[in-house]
Amino acid sequence: RGQIIFALGAFIGQTTIKSYGGEWITDDNDPRGELEIAVKLPNGFIMWPVQKCIKRCQLGQEESIYSYVRAISSLDK
């Protein structure tokens, strides 16, 4: 299950970068690096797509991934 959640998080992050711009932030020295990868958007905000996927699996519909990406991408610095 962890590999699927990571893959979904990576897909969401990469799709966000393609749609809104931004870059991956990673730390290869972090033992929890796969869970802590982030995307920094051009507006300066940082999102954690793998963490969001974990929450979505744990909490269900109330953790909408679509709403999360749309809200963060529309914010200004």
Side-chain angles (χ1 to χ4, degrees):
R1 188 168 132 170
Q3 291 175 334
I4 294 170
I5 291 172
F6 175 80
L8 288 170
F11 176 78
I12 291 164
Q14 195 60 38
T15 302
T16 301
I17 289 170
K18 186 171 178 141
S19 298
Y20 303 107
E23 62 185 350
W24 284 104
I25 301 172
T26 62
D27 182 357
D28 292 336
N29 297 318
D30 183 352
R32 293 176 36 99
E34 293 86 11
L35 300 175
E36 302 295 331
I37 61 172
V39 171
K40 183 174 183 181
L41 298 172
N43 62 12
F45 286 95
I46 298 174
M47 63 179 287
W48 291 267
V50 174
Q51 290 290 334
K52 186 62 177 179
C53 286
I54 292 169
K55 286 182 181 180
R56 176 65 168 94
C57 289
Q58 291 173 339
L59 302 174
Q61 283 182 314
E62 66 188 56
E63 289 295 326
S64 170
I65 293 169
Y66 175 79
S67 297
Y68 176 70
V69 173
R70 291 290 295 169
I72 289 176
S73 65
S74 65
L75 297 173
D76 289 325
K77 269 187 167 177

